[in-house]
Amino acid sequence: LICIKLNTMKREKVLEALKELPKEFELDVLLEKLVFVEKVNKGLSQIKKGETLTHEKVKETVLKWQK
């Protein structure tokens, strides 16, 4: 079972992404671009909210994953 969280995106963002693509492109390219834009926007929002981790905390977390 694969669970996918669907996010909303403004039409303007989708149109901006489309304008950057050539006249013909694979659908995968558009989807990857839209996911990238959404992730960047989410990250910027998290920064504004102060939802960040210190470099040290990230290093600790990665070390735990490697065990």
Side-chain angles (χ1 to χ4, degrees), residues 1-6:
L1 176 66
I2 297 174
C3 183
I4 299 173
K5 180 182 176 197
L6 298 176

Side-chain angles (χ1 to χ4, degrees), residues 41-67:
N41 287 333
K42 181 179 178 184
L44 293 173
S45 174
Q46 288 173 321
I47 291 170
K48 286 180 184 176
K49 294 176 187 175
E51 299 173 350
T52 59
L53 299 174
T54 64
H55 184 72
E56 284 303 314
K57 182 64 178 169
V58 172
K59 284 172 41 178
E60 289 173 18
T61 302
V62 171
L63 287 174
K64 289 178 185 175
W65 292 344
Q66 293 175 341
K67 291 182 180 181

Side-chain angles (χ1 to χ4, degrees), residues 18 21-27 29:
L18 275 171
L21 294 172
K23 292 198 182 278
E24 289 188 30
F25 56 88
E26 297 288 327
L27 181 57
V29 173

